[in-house]
């Protein structure tokens, strides 16, 4: 009888010996087919090529490609079966490369797109057919959108009708004006990177305390991802460890997700996928709870069971 451990070890051995050609933009790639049972889902990663237009270069990395082949290899090497690609903010509204990748790997990958209010239902349909299950608002350093405008109301209605999510990346101090109108619109909301509490205040950040108050709404999920973005020199992980009992108490384990944040843009030289996976074991020592975070919750939220 083949155990799950034996299967994972053989899969890692196979992937380590394979070198896959990069996916050219617009190319038709052979679709990956997976017959194994779903074990673990990485809910936050990015793919891009340095040759792609980058209208927002504030956070853009330089000097390398983050190809889907490299990402899938990282998944295999770390016993992860599926992943969620998030459109990088520096690529702006052109989701075409991510959509190409999703179409090439429909069994393993889902996507979170970046769109502008005014996007048409037909455009959203095309994204959904490719595997998109939500939109992202990366609002770091940007003003809060006018969610009361007709275009935003129409977009949020589409998000709600499709059972998509709105993924929010914003510092904790600025979360309230973003989340209140989203929750009032009835959409599911996913918060990136522990809610980005202040590096100095940690869990005492009033914005993080506000986030905790939203647990009973059952509309909000929190990603246990990229703790290193919440403070230097180990401070981010210390905040993450302090946050865990609070998040568990207010949200419950079933409203928590995990993401690698691969390829760790702007932290490429100091952060590794395997170390992030090991950190999850420190945050959630019980395997039963990790299974909920890695499989049960994301399988439903990112619609892996619907395709």
């Amino acid at each position: 009888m083949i155990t799950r451990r034996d299967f994972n070890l053989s899969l890692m051995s196979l992937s380590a010996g394979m070198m896959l050609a990069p996916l050219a933009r617009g190319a038709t790639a052979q679709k990956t087919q997976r017959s194994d049972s779903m074990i673990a889902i990485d809910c936050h990663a990015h793919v891009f090529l340095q040759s792609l237009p980058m209208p927002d270069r504030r956070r853009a990395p330089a000097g390398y490609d983050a190809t889907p082949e490299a990402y899938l290899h990282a998944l295999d090497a770390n016993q992860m079966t599926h992943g969620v690609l998030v459109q990088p903010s520096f690529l702006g509204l052109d989701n075409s490369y991510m959509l190409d990748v999703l179409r090439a790997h429909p069994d393993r990958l889902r996507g979170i797109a970046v769109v502008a209010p005014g996007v048409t239902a037909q455009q959203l349909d095309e994204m959904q057919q490719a595997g998109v299950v939500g939109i992202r608002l990366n609002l770091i350093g940007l003003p809060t959108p006018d969610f009361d405008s007709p275009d935003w109301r129409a977009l949020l209605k589409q998000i709600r009708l499709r059972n998509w999510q709105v993924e929010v990346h914003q510092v904790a101090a600025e979360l309230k004006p973003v989340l209140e109108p989203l929750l009032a619109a009835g959409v599911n909301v996913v918060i990136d990177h522990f809610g980005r509490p202040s590096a100095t205040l940690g869990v005492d950040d009033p914005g993080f305390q506000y986030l905790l108050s939203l647990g009973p709404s059952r509309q909000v999920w929190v990603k246990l991802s990229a703790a290193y973005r919440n403070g230097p020199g180990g401070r981010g992980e210390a905040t993450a460890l302090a946050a865990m009992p609070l998040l568990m108490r207010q949200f419950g384990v079933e409203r928590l997700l995990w993401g690698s944040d691969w390829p760790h843009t702007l932290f490429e030289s100091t952060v590794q996928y395997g170390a992030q996976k090991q950190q999850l074991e420190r945050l959630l020592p019980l395997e039963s709870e990790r299974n909920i975070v890695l499989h049960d919750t994301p399988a439903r939220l990112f619609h892996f069971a619907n395709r």
Side-chain angles (χ1 to χ4, degrees):
M1 178 178 179
I2 299 175
T3 66
R4 185 167 74 177
R5 180 179 181 275
D6 292 334
F7 175 81
N8 284 335
L9 289 174
S10 64
L11 180 61
M12 289 171 62
S13 177
L14 177 63
S15 65
M18 295 177 64
M19 294 299 293
L20 301 177
L23 178 69
R25 186 174 188 182
T28 301
Q30 182 179 0
K31 295 181 179 180
T32 56
Q33 298 296 326
R34 302 273 299 187
S35 60
D36 55 299
S37 60
M38 189 177 298
I39 298 172
I41 303 168
D42 176 357
C43 297
H44 196 105
H46 310 285
V47 293
F48 53 85
L49 302 176
Q50 56 185 319
S51 61
L52 294 173
M54 297 185 181
D56 183 358
R57 290 191 167 273
R58 290 174 303 154
R59 306 178 187 91
Y64 71 96
D65 296 333
T67 67
E69 289 76 25
Y71 176 56
L72 293 174
H73 180 79
L75 290 181
D76 292 340
N78 289 278
Q79 301 183 4
M80 303 294 292
T81 58
H82 297 69
V84 179
L85 301 180
V86 178
Q87 169 76 349
S89 59
F90 48 81
L91 294 185
L93 302 175
D94 184 358
N95 297 276
S96 58
Y97 182 71
M98 183 186 73
L99 295 177
D100 284 345
V101 175
L102 294 178
R103 294 185 184 107
H105 305 281
D107 297 326
R108 296 195 73 180
L109 301 177
R110 295 290 180 270
I112 302 295
V114 173
V115 302
V119 63
T120 68
Q122 180 179 353
Q123 290 171 316
L124 295 175
D125 286 341
E126 293 172 355
M127 293 180 189
Q128 184 164 327
Q129 290 166 6
V132 168
V133 294
I135 66 169
R136 190 191 200 202
L137 299 178
N138 188 339
L139 298 174
I140 301 292
L142 298 176
T144 299
D146 180 10
F147 293 115
D148 287 330
S149 70
D151 282 345
W152 265 111
R153 288 202 302 269
L155 175 54
L156 294 179
K157 181 179 179 180
Q158 285 289 326
I159 299 298
R160 186 178 69 253
L161 292 174
R162 295 167 190 273
N163 196 28
W164 281 13
Q165 61 179 267
V166 178
E167 180 184 301
V168 175
H169 185 204
Q170 177 60 291
V171 296
E174 302 297 332
L175 281 176
K176 188 171 184 178
V178 178
L179 299 188
E180 284 189 338
L182 292 178
L183 296 180
V187 298
N188 293 331
V189 177
V190 174
I191 306 298
D192 279 348
H193 309 334
F194 293 89
R196 296 298 305 269
S198 161
T200 55
L201 296 175
V203 296
D204 294 325
D205 185 328
F208 182 76
Q209 292 296 315
Y210 165 73
L211 175 60
L212 292 174
S213 75
L214 300 179
S217 74
R218 314 312 284 166
Q219 280 180 252
V220 180
W221 288 255
V222 179
K223 281 185 187 173
L224 312 178
S225 57
Y228 52 84
R229 298 190 186 275
N230 296 327
R235 190 178 299 173
E237 179 169 354
T239 295
L241 288 167
M244 285 307 301
L246 305 176
L247 291 169
M248 292 283 282
R249 184 181 309 128
Q250 294 301 114
F251 287 89
V253 68
E254 71 278 2
R255 284 296 188 276
L256 304 179
L257 305 160
W258 179 80
S260 66
D261 197 33
W262 187 90
H264 323 293
T265 55
L266 307 183
F267 291 82
E268 300 91 342
S269 63
T270 58
V271 178
Q272 298 174 342
Y273 195 116
Q276 295 304 295
K277 183 83 178 297
Q278 290 172 4
Q279 183 184 76
L280 177 63
E281 297 179 4
R282 294 192 293 275
L283 297 175
L284 287 173
L286 294 181
E287 183 179 6
S288 60
E289 293 177 342
R290 292 198 304 273
N291 287 340
I292 294 171
V293 169
L294 291 175
H295 171 246
D296 298 359
T297 298
R300 292 189 297 268
L301 186 62
F302 295 96
H303 304 187
F304 277 99
N306 296 342
R307 290 169 65 90

